[in-house]
Amino acid sequence: MIKLKNIILEGMYDRIVGKVNKKLFKSIKDAMKSSGTEEDPKPYKGYNVRKEPMGMDIGDLFAMERRDIYVGDFQDEKSGLDFEVQLKFALTKRGVKPGKFYIDGSAETDEDYPVINVELAIHPQDGEKILSKVQPIFRDLVRHEIEHLTHGRKSLGSKVSKWMRGDLSAREKIRKDPKLYHKYFLLPKEVDANIHGLYSKAKTLKQPYQKVVDDYLDDLVKDGIITAEQRKQIYNKWKKRIPKIGGLPKLK
């Protein structure tokens, strides 16, 4: 049985996720409208939206980009969260096929003021019509990164009950060896963040949580990121963790 207290707590995060998403989409739409054309590109608040990676992948392109689009500061009295959101956005024909998009994010929890970083790249011909596909993924990502904010001891809105030990050395080891990539999904911080993020995605899509989790892990196998055996390991880890968190539907 799901406890009412845990349902209320999860709903508390839903509100701020919704606020972040609304501002993110406004920033993206404004940036698209102000970016000019391919023949005559124009910066948006000093940020070049139209980008040409020139041989590098989108992730590397964003890593080299030192500027951001400021989305806003977000506070929530009930959750105690207080953080800033920054966006890196690209309209590009290189590395992103029509109908597809690149999305990533991170949370800086060790700074005096926590920051959630969001990255999005879309093909120019898709324009705003692609955003309906992006919406549930954004909800997942934002909720995922908010969960990371609650893990950090210095974060505004962090929860003592959610504090977790640093894992930078483990992450670095995983990044250097593709054979270890499945262990990323087994890191305690990532277990909780993925569980919460996918639940937010399920609610946005109005699909059963079980289906969203299964589809996500199946896609990782299909894309060659993890093996079928590793999928079972990750699934079982998440399944055992969910009852301890509370407020989430159980997995079969």
Side-chain angles (χ1 to χ4, degrees):
M1 180 181 293
I2 300 176
K3 294 182 180 179
L4 178 60
K5 177 183 177 182
N6 291 327
I7 294 176
I8 293 173
L9 288 172
E10 186 59 31
M12 172 177 67
Y13 293 114
D14 280 347
R15 286 191 293 272
I16 198 163
V17 169
K19 290 178 182 177
V20 172
N21 264 34
K22 184 176 180 180
K23 288 292 291 289
L24 269 172
F25 275 86
K26 184 179 186 308
S27 295
I28 291 166
K29 290 177 181 178
D30 288 348
M32 277 195 277
K33 291 175 182 176
S34 303
S35 67
T37 64
E38 186 176 357
E39 295 75 20
D40 182 24
K42 297 178 181 179
Y44 170 68
K45 296 182 178 180
Y47 181 92
N48 293 322
V49 174
R50 294 183 181 272
K51 298 183 182 295
E52 295 297 327
M54 301 302 289
M56 68 178 74
D57 63 32
I58 298 298
D60 290 337
L61 175 72
F62 281 137
M64 292 180 66
E65 175 62 77
R66 298 304 176 193
R67 294 161 298 179
D68 298 277
I69 297 172
Y70 170 74
V71 176
D73 292 308
F74 298 87
Q75 301 85 31
D76 184 81
E77 291 183 4
K78 292 188 177 181
S79 66
L81 286 167
D82 190 350
F83 58 94
E84 179 180 306
V85 176
Q86 297 178 346
L87 169 70
K88 289 182 179 178
F89 175 55
L91 286 169
T92 180
K93 292 182 178 179
R94 297 177 183 268
V96 182
K97 297 179 180 179
K100 304 291 184 180
F101 54 88
Y102 169 93
I103 189 169
D104 200 3
S106 63
E108 299 176 16
T109 61
D110 295 329
E111 304 296 330
D112 291 334
Y113 193 69
V115 177
I116 289 180
N117 301 297
V118 178
E119 299 174 353
L120 175 69
I122 65 175
H123 194 281
Q125 77 177 44
D126 288 328
E128 291 188 14
K129 67 182 181 182
I130 196 70
L131 296 183
S132 60
K133 291 184 179 180
V134 174
Q135 169 73 352
I137 313 300
F138 257 170
R139 297 276 308 194
D140 177 354
L141 183 147
V142 172
R143 180 62 185 90
H144 182 117
E145 301 306 337
I146 282 177
E147 187 65 16
H148 282 318
L149 293 184
T150 68
H151 296 158
R153 291 174 183 266
K154 294 183 180 180
S155 295
L156 299 172
S158 67
K159 306 296 180 184
V160 175
S161 61
K162 292 191 175 192
W163 282 354
M164 293 189 184
R165 294 176 57 186
D167 55 12
L168 292 179
S169 60
R171 289 172 183 270
E172 186 63 24
K173 186 177 180 181
I174 291 169
R175 273 194 290 266
K176 291 179 179 179
D177 187 353
K179 293 181 181 179
L180 299 177
Y181 195 68
H182 70 285
K183 292 190 175 182
Y184 166 83
F185 302 98
L186 298 172
L187 292 170
K189 289 183 179 181
E190 292 304 326
V191 169
D192 284 19
N194 275 293
I195 284 170
H196 283 292
L198 290 171
Y199 184 44
S200 183
K201 181 180 179 180
K203 288 185 287 186
T204 304
L205 292 172
K206 297 182 179 179
Q207 293 181 354
Y209 185 45
Q210 180 75 50
K211 181 181 185 308
V212 171
V213 171
D214 284 337
D215 288 349
Y216 177 74
L217 293 175
D218 287 344
D219 284 342
L220 292 177
V221 175
K222 183 171 63 177
D223 293 339
I225 296 172
I226 62 174
T227 66
E229 189 59 36
Q230 290 165 349
R231 182 202 187 282
K232 292 179 183 178
Q233 184 181 3
I234 295 166
Y235 180 87
N236 288 333
K237 180 82 171 182
W238 292 5
K239 178 181 176 181
K240 291 179 181 178
R241 177 61 179 159
I242 285 173
K244 297 178 181 179
I245 294 175
L248 299 163
K250 293 181 180 180
L251 298 177
K252 297 178 182 177

